[in-house]
Amino acid sequence: MAKKPFTNRLNDLDPKTWLKFQKSWFVHNPPRRQPNVLRHPAKFPETLAQEFIEFFTKRGQMVLDPMAGTGSALVAALRAGRHSCGVELNPAYAEIARQVVEQEQASLGEAAQGLTARVIQGDAARFADYAGEYQLPPVDYVITSPPYWDMLRAYGAQTQKKRRQTQALDVFYSDDPADLGNIDDYDEFLHRLVKIYASLQTVLRPGAYLTIIVKNVKKGGKLYPLAWDLARQLGQVYQLKDERIWCQDDIRLAPYGLGSAWVSNTFHHYCLQFRKG
Ligand SMILES: C[S@@+](CC[C@H](N)C(=O)[O-])C[C@H]1O[C@@H](n2cnc3c(N)ncnc32)[C@H](O)[C@@H]1O
């Protein structure tokens, strides 16, 4: 009997690549960052975002990052042949995002022709308004990562110490009150974050997926299960579709709690998958 042809309604991948992506964990060590995006304290790798975009969309579809930072998701979308849009609150990061997008378009040449990659400087809480204002088409996929609460303000954070020595590098995102990274009350932070993600429903195509890259955070010796809280609360708005765990194995271990208490060196992020029903 002839083998049934593989019909693929979600993406343009072959069955082998599709299956490989369905493993619930993966190791991805970010490549060295380009100097123009070093200023931003916490970006995700374009290479990682591209793999997700290629799984959750087809060529020519529309990708959104409502907290776009320096535009990694937009660059990844261009490389994958998808349209994209990013919102970023900090004007300096939005400008860097515009520059990296332009550079990427120039280096891709013909392959990027006809693809739009729009950077909007503004508050993600207003995305539904921007969609109307800029006449954006319905969104097929969201990939994004929020501020990890106000952790960048934690003075002792190891990475922060190194960045502080180099004045050109930011240690936190901004002083803007709309910046979610400036909210010190955990419940309020979570509430406003969930509200932003929930508001994207109005622009998302039915059946579209959202990937949120996030970590649980430790503050003052206490664990705040940000990833799990987000999964639970946002799971009441979208269908929660499990996670993929992004592991990094290129980070030096720090001797937290050595000889007295168990304190993990947390080298993984959750890539939470949601779907609009
Ligand atoms: C984890 S970073 C995102 C990095 C981005 N994925 C990248 O790879 O460059 C979170 C971003 O959210 C932005 N942000 C915080 N509050 C925001 C808001 N209300 N609206 C839009 N962006 C916001 C911060 O300025 C920061 O750039």
Side-chain angles (χ1 to χ4, degrees):
M1 203 167 65
K3 226 172 147 192
K4 233 174 114 189
F6 174 58
T7 2
N8 186 341
R9 290 193 300 269
L10 180 62
N11 55 43
D12 303 320
L13 301 177
D14 58 78
K16 200 170 158 199
T17 320
W18 175 302
L19 270 184
K20 216 172 137 203
F21 187 89
Q22 286 196 161
K23 195 162 86 176
S24 63
W25 63 271
F26 61 98
V27 178
H28 190 108
N29 295 321
R32 196 176 263 278
R33 285 209 220 168
Q34 295 298 314
N36 49 358
V37 294
L38 269 181
R39 175 172 170 183
H40 193 282
K43 69 182 282 307
F44 53 56
E46 294 79 3
T47 41
L48 181 153
Q50 187 174 347
E51 282 184 26
F52 277 78
I53 290 171
E54 286 176 352
F55 189 89
F56 288 109
T57 55
K58 285 183 172 285
R59 286 189 87 79
Q61 288 193 318
M62 176 75 181
V63 176
L64 165 70
D65 184 347
M67 296 185 192
T70 50
S72 318
L74 282 73
V75 166
L78 279 171
R79 290 179 188 167
R82 274 67 165 170
H83 301 284
S84 58
C85 173
V87 180
E88 170 53 46
L89 187 69
N90 183 324
Y93 300 156
E95 187 46 41
I96 296 174
R98 283 188 194 107
Q99 286 166 14
V100 295
V101 159
E102 257 176 43
Q103 282 163 10
E104 193 62 33
Q105 279 168 325
S107 84
L108 286 170
E110 252 178 51
Q113 239 165 35
L115 289 177
T116 53
R118 188 191 289 272
V119 180
I120 298 169
Q121 189 274 312
D123 184 352
R126 286 196 49 220
F127 184 75
D129 301 337
Y130 303 139
E133 215 173 288
Y134 292 92
Q135 298 186 326
L136 296 174
V139 171
D140 296 291
Y141 176 53
V142 171
I143 180 162
T144 191
S145 179
Y148 289 0
W149 186 20
D150 63 350
M151 288 316 292
L152 290 180
R153 302 248 171 205
Y155 198 81
Q158 206 59 22
T159 46
Q160 298 295 74
K161 276 187 202 155
K162 274 191 227 141
R163 293 182 70 85
R164 227 171 244 120
Q165 288 155 8
T166 317
Q167 297 218 321
L169 304 184
D170 293 348
V171 277
F172 46 81
Y173 300 127
S174 71
D175 288 317
D176 192 321
D179 180 339
L180 299 191
N182 292 332
I183 305 172
D184 65 354
D185 181 83
Y186 178 71
D187 290 328
E188 188 195 338
F189 162 76
L190 189 64
H191 173 75
R192 281 172 57 186
L193 184 61
V194 169
K195 205 168 155 199
I196 289 179
Y197 292 148
S199 75
L200 302 179
Q201 278 184 100
T202 53
V203 294
L204 277 174
R205 183 180 58 74
Y209 286 88
L210 291 87
T211 299
I212 301 175
I213 303 177
V214 66
K215 231 179 179 174
N216 291 332
V217 294
K218 288 190 206 96
K219 192 174 175 185
K222 188 174 160 192
L223 180 81
Y224 292 82
L226 173 58
W228 305 338
D229 284 341
L230 196 56
R232 195 173 163 83
Q233 293 200 13
L234 205 58
Q236 289 167 12
V237 178
Y238 301 102
Q239 295 167 6
L240 174 63
K241 290 286 178 189
D242 219 329
E243 81 255 343
R244 288 191 87 210
I245 298 178
W246 165 23
C247 305
Q248 271 182 269
D249 64 1
D250 62 346
I251 307 177
R252 191 191 287 248
L253 285 161
Y256 306 128
L258 204 61
S260 62
W262 186 81
V263 184
S264 98
N265 272 267
T266 310
F267 298 158
H268 68 276
H269 301 248
Y270 294 88
C271 304
L272 301 176
Q273 316 296 352
F274 299 91
R275 191 172 194 189
K276 182 174 168 177

